[in-house]
Amino acid sequence: MIKQYLILFMFFLFIGGCAQKISTVDYIYPDWKSRLEQQAQWQVQGKMAFISTEQRQSANLNWQHDEQYSDMVLTSFIGTRILSLKQNAQGAELEYDDNVYTDRDASMLLYRLTGFSIPLDNAAKWLKGTVENDQANYDEQGRLKSLIWQAHNGQQWQITYSDYIKQDGYWLPVKLSLKNNKIRIKIQLNDWQLN
């Protein structure tokens, strides 16, 4: 009987030790927003849904970004690549339907080929929630709740942030939606990796 209790005690001790190692540090940098703004190299995975009056499409999202380059890949739920959109200082390249297309403007290229619009100019700012403008609203922690984003093509977007996660000393958005008069885009970000 004592042997069984000892085994149970060791088991719970082991489980408790594992739980301690898995737990994350619960802190936020006092200047988290400016640090996050400077964080130019990151990767995020999640889901994206495009909702319009005519159709609704959803996909898995994998977005990699650094100082020189951005690569957004959308895949179906079974893992089939829908498109890959690469951007650098020279312009954009879109792999779609087994063809490669190029343009100076990534948003226009995406819209021309898929019919879906998304404000890709300076997307790192609104995706990370580090935008500062006169039409932005913040919560008590200084996190964006909503803002009006003016894309360089003139489109206005209402961006709403509904959830954040504490990670690596930052508040990172995990649920946001973008809306203009033609489309709504819902984004859920499940896995941020900052370098």
Side-chain angles (χ1 to χ4, degrees):
M1 189 70 166
I2 292 176
K3 194 175 192 179
Q4 289 173 337
Y5 285 122
L6 185 58
I7 291 171
L8 276 174
F9 175 75
M10 294 299 286
F11 173 76
F12 287 119
L13 188 62
F14 174 76
I15 294 296
C18 290
Q20 292 295 331
K21 291 178 184 175
I22 293 172
S23 68
T24 59
V25 177
D26 189 25
Y27 71 95
I28 296 294
Y29 293 118
D31 58 343
W32 67 270
K33 196 179 291 185
S34 61
R35 284 177 180 242
L36 186 56
E37 172 72 30
Q38 294 169 15
Q39 189 72 248
Q41 189 172 354
W42 48 265
Q43 179 176 352
V44 66
Q45 295 177 352
K47 297 177 194 271
M48 182 180 283
F50 297 89
I51 305 159
S52 70
T53 54
E54 296 85 31
Q55 60 181 321
R56 180 185 181 111
Q57 297 286 330
S58 58
N60 291 320
L61 168 71
N62 187 335
W63 201 334
Q64 296 180 18
H65 184 84
D66 65 28
E67 297 91 348
Q68 309 292 324
Y69 180 78
S70 180
D71 185 9
M72 181 177 71
V73 177
L74 299 180
T75 58
S76 70
F77 289 106
I78 59 171
T80 307
R81 182 179 286 208
I82 299 168
L83 64 83
S84 172
L85 180 61
K86 298 177 174 134
Q87 298 178 78
N88 60 28
Q90 286 71 47
E93 177 182 287
L94 179 66
E95 292 179 39
Y96 180 67
D97 279 346
D98 297 323
N99 293 307
V100 177
Y101 305 90
T102 59
D103 197 307
R104 293 284 307 149
D105 186 315
S107 295
M108 291 304 295
L109 179 61
L110 183 65
Y111 179 72
R112 191 175 76 230
L113 294 171
T114 67
F116 291 114
S117 179
I118 184 169
L120 293 169
D121 55 309
N122 288 318
K125 286 183 177 255
W126 60 255
L127 192 70
K128 292 188 297 183
T130 58
V131 177
E132 302 254 348
N133 70 25
D134 294 341
Q135 299 181 1
N137 297 307
Y138 304 91
D139 65 13
E140 58 276 356
Q141 282 91 15
R143 304 173 303 189
L144 268 172
K145 287 174 32 180
S146 65
L147 79 134
I148 303 294
W149 178 262
Q150 182 80 32
H152 74 276
N153 64 4
Q155 283 188 336
Q156 268 197 354
W157 292 85
Q158 170 74 39
I159 305 178
T160 306
Y161 299 80
S162 58
D163 198 10
Y164 284 82
I165 188 171
K166 285 182 185 179
Q167 181 180 320
D168 302 324
Y170 303 104
W171 285 110
L172 296 170
V174 291
K175 287 186 182 175
L176 58 151
S177 65
L178 295 83
K179 185 170 72 168
N180 69 14
N181 57 356
K182 295 180 181 176
I183 192 168
R184 185 165 59 122
I185 303 167
K186 295 174 76 174
I187 302 174
Q188 179 175 326
L189 304 170
N190 301 324
D191 184 19
W192 280 97
Q193 295 175 26
L194 304 174
N195 297 342

